[in-house]
Amino acid sequence: MKKHFICAIILSICISCGGGNDATLQKDVDVCVYGGTASGVIAAYSAAKLGKSVILVEPGKYLGGMTTGGLGWTDIGNKYAVTGLARLFYRRLGKRYGKLEQWTFPPSAATQEIDRFIADGRVETLRLHRIVDADKRDAVIRRITLEKSDDAEAPHIVVNARQFIDCSYEGDLMARAGVSYFTGREGNDVYDESLNGVQLSIQHQFPDSIDPYHIEGDPSGGLCWGISDNVLQAAGSGDSCIQAYNFRLCLTDRPDNRRQFEKPASYDPSKYELLARAIRKMPADINQYLLYQTEQPDAKYDVNNRGPLSTDMIGMNHAYPDGDYETRARIWQEHVEYTKGLMYFLSHDERIPEALRSKVDELGWAKDEFVDNDNFPTQLYVREARRLHGEYVMTQHNCQGDETVGDGVGLAAYGMDSHNCQRIVTNGMVKNEGDVQYGGFPPYPVSYRSIAPQRRECVNLLVPVCISSTHIAYGSIRMEPVFMVLGQSAAVAASMAIDAGCAVQDIDVDALRKKLRNDPYLDGSVPEILVDDTDIDKVRRQWWWVKRFGAHYKTSFIYSENQPSNSVCTFLPAIRKAGKYAVYFYCTALPNAELPDALSLSVRHKHGESCVDIAPKEAKGSWAALGTYDFDERCAVVVDGKKTKGPVFADAILLIPEEN
């Protein structure tokens, strides 16, 4: 772990008619958002909706980060945690596929929805520009200076802003502004954790006895490619390692849209020697080597890392967080070449069993995705780089609920997840180190103070992506929906600081939380009404209903065997504004044996009572539509076991105002 204090450079702005870097353009805005990730897009849109002038700066060519760059299988942990404009994003995707929400999607669909936010908010965007300097005086960032990412001789642009939001994966704005941050892994003793630091796991691991040497059995021949000469340190000890990066691949097996894997010019099969050795001792099953997500629309699959040697380029990214732009570009390109080579190796090398080789060869790049980038993903999965050292540090204790905060401005819900950090030799065998997969805890609040720098360092900057947390806590928080939620929170907070003329640390956080709750889409629309089984004052049931956990919407659901058929559960939503509402019932993702073929419900509304039957086996894990009804203060949704054959369950209901 390193703690950095980077001195800010005071920039002298000169406007002239000369060429090259001497010609400087200026832009004046209320809010400057740096980083066109999905979080950055939501932050910029939010600031615009609140009436602030805003500019969104993106160092690369594309907006949306991982959300549009290949991560089509959304890691959510718990859908209850996704709120505000992040929820609207997944709702809009849902409309494309005839659903309320869509959580898996091709990159092109995500790109269209991200672009829609930019268009709807009329957000000025500045692509292919990256920060080179920040002018900070008395803990206030006055302006930042940008260079053209692909043309160092182009005129610089200076952005003067009252508030800055760093939504980049790398935290470059906060670093240039001299704000302190962490990289690497803390030792467990630093924050009294148990899952941080060095972790030698059985997950995504090599079988025992895989020889690590280039010439098997001969150490004099040197180590195989990809193995570090680091020595395994004590479990839980800290170091400078970070979890591996990769590309999330959008592949298809549809022949008319498939572009087969081609041999890269830089192809070097020795990079995959360890995989060939591992396969000799492992099943010839594609799911052992690629996380092959098939439940996506349009016969497209999000392919992720899995197994001993896969799409993660373990240990090859350690110089990335603090690397200069040239270093990062080199690491990025190395990941591109490694990934293309891996897919060619798996589909063509004769050391791969024919059954596995032919299965991989059925896949290929989707020809209608990333059409201007050789059908290859546009965003390197920077799972972790810098992490702010802010007013509050999120830790494992927050994730597990042992410590909670009262200033939460978003929920995280995913398990603590770290990919491997290094590949080493231990006991004469090659092993991966750093994998952690620990979950099972409910959603937990992310502190507003964890997106705010320490007051003495900066008072007009918020950091909703590289948030203040330990390595292992960041492994839980670092999910795209959470980044979007925190981006919206940061933009609302920045706007409040402008209006109040105060430091971001001094805003009324209770007022911020109320704004996010009562106006989630920042358009004044009537908020949705959610009633969960945990809302005991709004749920009526008999005593024999049993609380259960797993596959639930929030933290639990209730269940009855319904024998005899007399179980009834009534949801009683509080209607604050009379009108038409679309009603949905959440179908808990239980095994089919625990679900009825048809579940009977009734909706009590202004004009009487309507009975609806749904098929929970078909809708499990999603919202089932019950229809649209007029509601006044008297309404209810009833799970009716008397009309249902088989077991019954109740998890949550949702009422969406028709005007939304």
Side-chain angles (χ1 to χ4, degrees), residues 45 49-50 85 88 488 515-528 577 657 659-660:
Y45 173 86
K49 291 291 287 184
L50 293 170
L85 295 170
L88 180 61
Q488 178 176 353
K515 174 71 171 176
L516 296 170
R517 182 172 60 251
N518 293 340
D519 191 10
Y521 299 152
L522 304 179
D523 59 1
S525 60
V526 178
E528 299 169 1
K577 183 177 180 180
E659 65 182 64
N660 291 2

Side-chain angles (χ1 to χ4, degrees), residues 222-495:
L223 296 169
C224 286
W225 183 93
I227 301 177
S228 165
D229 59 5
N230 290 345
V231 176
L232 179 65
Q233 299 300 309
S237 58
D239 58 23
S240 61
C241 294
I242 58 174
Q243 60 175 310
Y245 300 167
N246 74 339
F247 285 97
R248 294 289 286 258
L249 311 181
C250 183
L251 306 182
T252 185
D253 57 5
R254 205 178 78 190
D256 63 328
N257 194 37
R258 182 186 65 203
R259 174 183 167 189
Q260 291 186 306
F261 302 122
E262 300 150 351
K263 184 178 182 179
S266 61
Y267 181 63
D268 179 2
S270 70
K271 291 182 177 180
Y272 318 104
E273 170 64 25
L274 290 173
L275 178 57
R277 295 180 188 181
I279 287 175
R280 295 202 301 255
K281 298 190 175 186
M282 295 177 65
D285 178 359
I286 188 172
N287 294 294
Q288 296 283 331
Y289 312 102
L290 297 170
L291 184 52
Y292 181 50
Q293 308 283 17
T294 59
E295 297 177 21
Q296 292 202 168
D298 307 328
K300 294 173 184 174
Y301 313 129
D302 175 343
V303 174
N304 194 13
N305 180 84
R306 173 171 278 177
L309 189 151
S310 184
T311 59
D312 278 1
M313 201 171 172
I314 297 172
M316 302 298 178
N317 60 341
H318 294 173
Y320 188 92
D322 280 324
D324 59 24
Y325 294 129
E326 291 74 22
T327 298
R328 290 183 186 167
R330 172 183 57 78
I331 292 172
W332 187 302
Q333 186 58 32
E334 288 171 353
H335 279 70
V336 172
E337 295 172 2
Y338 167 84
T339 306
K340 290 182 176 180
L342 172 69
M343 300 312 297
Y344 182 81
F345 179 83
L346 282 170
S347 57
H348 287 80
D349 196 283
E350 293 185 356
R351 288 173 292 176
I352 306 301
E354 198 279 332
L356 173 58
R357 192 167 68 243
S358 62
K359 182 64 177 178
V360 178
D361 197 38
E362 291 176 2
L363 299 169
W365 313 112
K367 290 192 292 187
D368 59 347
E369 298 291 342
F370 309 122
V371 293
D372 63 344
N373 197 51
D374 197 34
N375 304 124
F376 193 80
T378 52
Q379 175 64 54
L380 178 64
Y381 199 170
V382 179
R383 291 190 172 95
E384 177 184 17
R386 300 180 175 110
R387 304 186 309 278
L388 171 70
H389 183 191
E391 292 269 287
Y392 181 87
V393 179
M394 300 288 294
T395 71
Q396 176 181 337
H397 304 293
N398 296 102
C399 301
Q400 295 178 296
D402 298 326
E403 182 176 325
T404 192
V405 297
D407 63 341
V409 290
L411 293 172
Y414 203 71
M416 286 176 278
D417 176 67
S418 173
H419 285 232
N420 280 301
C421 299
Q422 57 181 338
R423 182 171 291 140
I424 57 176
V425 177
T426 180
N427 296 325
M429 302 178 290
V430 59
K431 291 292 180 181
N432 296 328
E433 185 278 312
D435 180 88
V436 177
Q437 298 174 52
Y438 187 95
F441 42 81
Y444 59 92
V446 178
S447 172
Y448 174 70
R449 290 165 292 157
S450 70
I451 69 172
Q454 298 173 49
R455 179 189 300 271
R456 62 184 174 82
E457 294 183 346
C458 194
V459 297
N460 67 331
L461 171 68
L462 291 166
V463 186
V465 174
C466 295
I467 79 163
S468 180
S469 68
T470 63
H471 157 75
I472 197 58
Y474 194 77
S476 169
I477 298 166
R478 64 171 182 84
M479 302 303 158
E480 291 290 291
V482 180
F483 288 158
M484 285 191 264
V485 169
L486 295 178
Q488 178 176 353
S489 301
V492 176
S495 298

Side-chain angles (χ1 to χ4, degrees), residues 526-559:
V526 178
E528 299 169 1
I529 301 171
L530 172 72
V531 182
D532 186 76
D533 72 284
T534 58
D535 299 321
I536 57 176
D537 60 327
K538 298 177 182 177
V539 179
R540 301 286 183 269
R541 60 185 173 91
Q542 299 107 329
W543 63 268
W544 55 79
W545 285 78
V546 178
K547 183 176 285 293
R548 290 178 57 177
F549 304 92
H552 45 252
Y553 183 68
K554 184 182 178 183
T555 57
S556 64
F557 65 100
I558 53 176
Y559 188 84

Side-chain angles (χ1 to χ4, degrees), residues 44 50 52 143 196-197 202 208 218 249 255 263 270 277 297 315 347 372 513 608 641 644 646:
L50 293 170
K52 301 298 183 282
R143 57 188 63 85
N196 215 330
I202 63 172
D208 285 347
D218 183 5
L249 311 181
K263 184 178 182 179
S270 70
R277 295 180 188 181
S347 57
D372 63 344
R513 286 156 51 86
T644 300

